[in-house]
Amino acid sequence: MIDYTGIQCPVCGKSFGKDDDIVVCPECGAPYHRECYQKAGHCIYEEKHGTPEAWQPPASAAKDAEEKRCPRCGKPNAPGALFCDHCGMSLTGEPPIGPQNNYGQFNSRYGAPPSPTDFPNSQQPPMGNTWGAYGQPQQNRPEGGNPQQPFQGPPIPFLFDPLGGVPADEKINGVPAGDVAKFVQANTSYYLPVFANQQKYGRRRFNFCAFLCTGGWMLYRKQYKLGAILTAVMAAIYLVSLYCSTVTSDMILQLMSQAGMDSNQAALYLTFNAEQFWQLLFQEPPERVALVFLPLALRVVQLVIMVVVGFKANRVYMNFCTKKVQAVYQGFPEPSDRELQLRSRGGVNTPLAVCLMIAYMMITYAPMLFSLG
């Protein structure tokens, strides 16, 4: 969309302001004040429509329509971008209000130094702001120095960096880190440095969320295929363990009674009368003995799977993200379409995570409720 600010109205000759009510000709795109267009009754270029003499936007306005230039750092961005890919400045014309998202929406109160254009009529920010002019801290001025000339010391880093210190143009599996962050969306300050370290140095970081939730974590991160497989495997292990424990519970209580053990002393297998209990147990048919030990073996398998997932999760997720971003590159050449696709295909699936948690609680506590009933 062209920014008509500063362009002259063809009827009255006045330059358009930011808040003016502007209408454009649907044929050639010539802008008018609404009142001027109503007064003229038609586009004054009507006779020239379809010819090279029809209204044309100024070259600077046409260039601005192709890209959004950041008012803070000057970097060009895609037409549909909401925030600058370089410094995180809002490109919607509204002042940023703190680190509300993972794309760098900052407020000077939360650590992003203001630009000189933020305070055109003053050398210093308003009262209560600890930043001096041009983003330098006032407390670093040399003693006796001019308060209007701040000390040009080293810049203070942001208190919150959505990329975790990784440059937006650094390649991760051939994909810019900025686009990977747009796909990851949630907790990018953790994943981007982890991905960068894996890419550069081969360092792996243990993912405790993936360790504890395994398939549920992958489904939450939209890795549906692998997440569904792991969830099914873990659920099957749990259900088989529950079945074996239920089937062998009566036999274990009977053997404990024969060995002279109290049914409330199940934890004393290896203490009082334990030897007699084990002798009685191994006299049972082999398939029944196997059912007693199968839940323990399955728990070990479950733990091994959780540990392996914890170590592999970050690398698997990095490869998943970069492949998805590359697929968006191939299918959507326009930058505005790319950004929309990255946001819609990436991120997390919170409703699915909530449903999985509810299902897990129901499966876990259902046997207890039936036993009480």
Side-chain angles (χ1 to χ4, degrees):
M1 180 177 180
I2 298 177
D3 183 5
Y4 296 101
T5 304
I7 300 177
Q8 292 183 348
C9 175
V11 175
C12 66
K14 295 182 179 179
S15 298
F16 295 116
K18 184 177 180 180
D19 299 326
D20 287 352
D21 188 7
I22 302 173
V23 296
V24 298
C25 173
E27 294 292 333
C28 66
Y32 299 87
H33 292 106
R34 185 178 295 274
E35 295 179 356
C36 296
Y37 186 82
Q38 293 175 351
K39 181 179 179 180
H42 61 87
C43 177
I44 65 174
Y45 298 97
E46 185 174 10
E47 297 179 355
K48 300 178 180 179
H49 285 171
T51 68
E53 298 179 357
W55 184 87
Q56 298 292 335
S60 60
K63 184 177 180 180
D64 290 340
E66 297 176 358
E67 59 185 24
K68 280 188 177 181
R69 189 168 294 276
C70 176
R72 169 170 291 171
C73 67
K75 182 181 183 298
N77 295 268
L82 300 178
F83 305 96
C84 177
D85 289 336
H86 179 68
C87 69
M89 180 68 180
S90 173
L91 302 179
T92 60
E94 301 178 357
I97 311 176
Q100 294 182 347
N101 57 39
N102 291 301
Y103 300 100
Q105 186 178 6
F106 291 109
N107 180 317
S108 60
R109 180 179 178 184
Y110 292 94
S115 67
T117 58
D118 292 338
F119 311 102
N121 300 323
S122 173
Q123 292 287 339
Q124 297 184 10
M127 294 297 293
N129 194 319
T130 60
W131 291 92
Y134 306 104
Q136 300 300 331
Q138 295 178 359
Q139 62 267 27
N140 285 348
R141 287 197 306 266
E143 185 175 357
N146 187 345
Q148 300 299 326
Q149 299 295 330
F151 173 63
Q152 298 296 325
I156 294 180
F158 292 164
L159 298 180
F160 175 82
D161 184 358
L163 300 183
V166 179
D169 56 353
E170 180 174 328
K171 301 294 185 179
I172 299 177
N173 280 353
V175 178
D179 288 342
V180 177
K182 292 175 184 178
F183 185 86
V184 174
Q185 299 181 25
N187 203 12
T188 56
S189 59
Y190 166 82
Y191 285 106
L192 267 295
V194 170
F195 293 168
N197 286 331
Q198 288 180 350
Q199 180 76 14
K200 290 181 180 180
Y201 313 111
R203 297 175 182 172
R204 296 186 181 183
R205 186 170 179 177
F206 191 80
N207 191 319
F208 284 96
C209 291
F211 167 74
L212 295 174
C213 301
T214 54
W217 174 84
M218 291 192 170
L219 292 174
Y220 173 69
R221 285 286 168 181
K222 295 188 176 181
Q223 301 174 87
Y224 296 123
K225 184 176 181 180
L226 185 56
I229 294 174
L230 284 174
T231 300
V233 170
M234 299 298 281
I237 290 176
Y238 174 79
L239 292 176
V240 171
S241 299
L242 181 64
Y243 171 78
C244 294
S245 299
T246 303
V247 170
T248 59
S249 60
D250 292 339
M251 180 187 69
I252 291 176
L253 290 175
Q254 183 179 0
L255 294 177
M256 290 175 60
S257 177
Q258 294 178 7
M261 299 174 62
D262 190 348
S263 60
N264 296 323
Q265 296 177 334
L268 301 181
Y269 279 175
L270 302 179
T271 56
F272 304 105
N273 301 328
E275 183 178 355
Q276 186 177 0
F277 170 80
W278 291 115
Q279 290 177 354
L280 293 174
L281 176 62
F282 286 110
Q283 291 175 4
E284 296 291 326
E287 59 274 12
R288 301 190 67 180
V289 176
L291 288 178
V292 173
F293 289 99
L294 185 58
L296 179 60
L298 291 176
R299 293 294 177 87
V300 173
V301 173
Q302 191 176 40
L303 180 61
V304 171
I305 294 175
M306 294 170 64
V307 171
V308 172
V309 170
F311 277 109
K312 296 284 188 179
N314 287 331
R315 177 169 290 276
V316 171
Y317 186 48
M318 178 184 70
N319 295 333
F320 170 80
C321 293
T322 53
K323 287 181 181 178
K324 290 293 184 180
V325 175
Q326 289 171 351
V328 171
Y329 282 173
Q330 295 176 359
F332 301 90
E334 293 296 329
S336 57
D337 294 336
R338 286 181 182 179
E339 184 165 357
L340 181 61
Q341 290 296 322
L342 290 174
R343 293 176 184 272
S344 61
R345 297 187 183 190
V348 296
N349 193 333
T350 303
L352 180 59
V354 174
C355 292
L356 287 174
M357 182 61 67
I358 295 174
Y360 173 78
M361 294 179 65
M362 292 177 62
I363 294 175
T364 302
Y365 294 105
M368 298 175 57
L369 296 177
F370 283 119
S371 62
L372 292 176

